[in-house]
Amino acid sequence: MANEVILLDFWPSMFGMRTRIALREKGIEFEYRDEDLWNKSPLLLETNPVHKKIPVLIHNGKPVCESTIQVQYIDEVWSDKNPILPSDPYQRAQARFWVDFIDKKMYDAQRKVWGTKGEEQETGKKEFIELLKTLESELGENTYFGGDDFGYVDIGLIGFYSWFHAYEKYGNLNIESECPKLIAWAKTCMQRESVAKSLPDSEKVTEFVTEIRKKFMLE
């Protein structure tokens, strides 16, 4: 059976970026459909009726929701090339722990950096930098979070890098001075074709953030 792969996504989504990277790591051709989140398509509402959110991966007509689940699905279905999750059960559990950590902590913290003001923003900035330092500590002296191999945790985190310029602009931060090893890791990831093709230009993301701030009257 021929593989028909469609990805319903939104270009600045750090979660959708995960799925794009995983598909490209495996060399899978896919049809990319950018959604208007303020006017969601009938296909998105039909394929993700519970959360009504992107990304949605549709493989031969069957939808898979949630980016972390999509990445694991892609790794299992196309297991013959570029493994994403480690083969060792303990290492696999550790990788899942750190992506779960990213999912539970990072989104809310980064939202406060660019999407709030005053005391709430200051608290968010401190929380965000602490999270990055925790992740940098886990990275250690390794090239990637999985050691020498690009994998699940790298895919889980790297999408946020395309937003770093916006965090720095609106949070008045210098992330590289706080977390130099993490920035070096991000630059190494960006040398991979799968990542470079999947992450939008950071200036474009910052423009998007500026528009969102105007809508919420933060400008």
Side-chain angles (χ1 to χ4, degrees):
M1 184 178 182
N3 278 314
E4 183 194 45
V5 181
I6 299 168
L7 181 62
L8 307 182
D9 201 351
F10 182 47
W11 67 268
S13 168
M14 60 279 285
F15 302 109
M17 291 175 212
R18 294 170 171 176
T19 312
R20 293 173 227 167
I21 293 167
L23 288 167
R24 288 181 171 124
E25 277 291 312
K26 297 287 187 177
I28 304 305
E29 289 189 12
F30 62 98
E31 180 186 339
Y32 179 89
R33 296 188 189 176
D34 205 53
E35 284 282 331
D36 177 355
L37 298 192
W38 289 268
N39 184 23
K40 296 173 183 177
S41 72
L43 184 59
L44 174 59
L45 299 175
E46 177 190 329
T47 52
N48 191 357
V50 176
H51 296 303
K52 302 176 176 63
K53 291 180 178 178
I54 56 92
V56 178
L57 178 71
I58 306 171
H59 181 209
N60 293 333
K62 295 178 179 177
V64 180
C65 301
E66 299 295 313
S67 63
T68 53
I69 295 169
Q70 291 165 8
V71 173
Q72 292 180 55
Y73 176 84
I74 289 163
D75 198 35
E76 290 172 12
V77 172
W78 293 282
S79 58
D80 58 328
K81 184 183 178 187
N82 288 0
I84 291 170
L85 279 139
S87 57
D88 177 75
Y90 179 75
Q91 290 178 356
R92 199 158 58 241
Q94 289 300 104
R96 286 179 172 138
F97 170 86
W98 284 108
V99 173
D100 184 64
F101 173 85
I102 292 163
D103 277 356
K104 285 177 176 166
K105 302 281 189 180
M106 279 282 287
Y107 185 79
D108 287 344
Q110 64 85 35
R111 182 77 172 73
K112 288 175 189 172
V113 171
W114 64 265
T116 61
K117 285 181 173 180
E119 193 175 324
E120 188 180 2
Q121 186 186 41
E122 289 305 311
T123 304
K125 282 162 61 175
K126 287 176 188 171
E127 184 186 342
F128 182 66
I129 292 297
E130 283 305 310
L131 289 173
L132 293 185
K133 286 184 174 178
T134 300
L135 289 162
E136 186 176 61
S137 176
E138 171 60 19
L139 176 67
E141 300 300 323
N142 295 319
T143 306
Y144 298 113
F145 280 91
D148 294 330
D149 298 319
F150 180 79
Y152 188 58
V153 183
D154 306 295
I155 290 173
L157 182 60
I158 192 59
F160 288 91
Y161 180 61
S162 63
W163 287 65
F164 275 21
H165 182 266
Y167 305 153
E168 292 186 327
K169 178 176 180 178
Y170 290 113
N172 193 26
L173 295 171
N174 185 329
I175 296 171
E176 188 160 19
S177 69
E178 297 277 2
C179 304
K181 290 178 183 175
L182 200 67
I183 294 297
W185 159 83
K187 289 177 178 176
T188 300
C189 290
M190 287 298 292
Q191 292 171 15
R192 298 183 76 85
E193 186 180 1
S194 64
V195 178
K197 282 188 170 181
S198 299
L199 267 61
D201 179 72
S202 60
E203 292 282 354
K204 191 180 174 190
V205 173
T206 303
E207 288 171 13
F208 168 74
V209 170
T210 302
E211 291 304 310
I212 295 294
R213 283 172 58 87
K214 285 176 183 173
K215 280 189 180 181
F216 288 99
M217 293 184 285
L218 290 164
E219 287 290 303

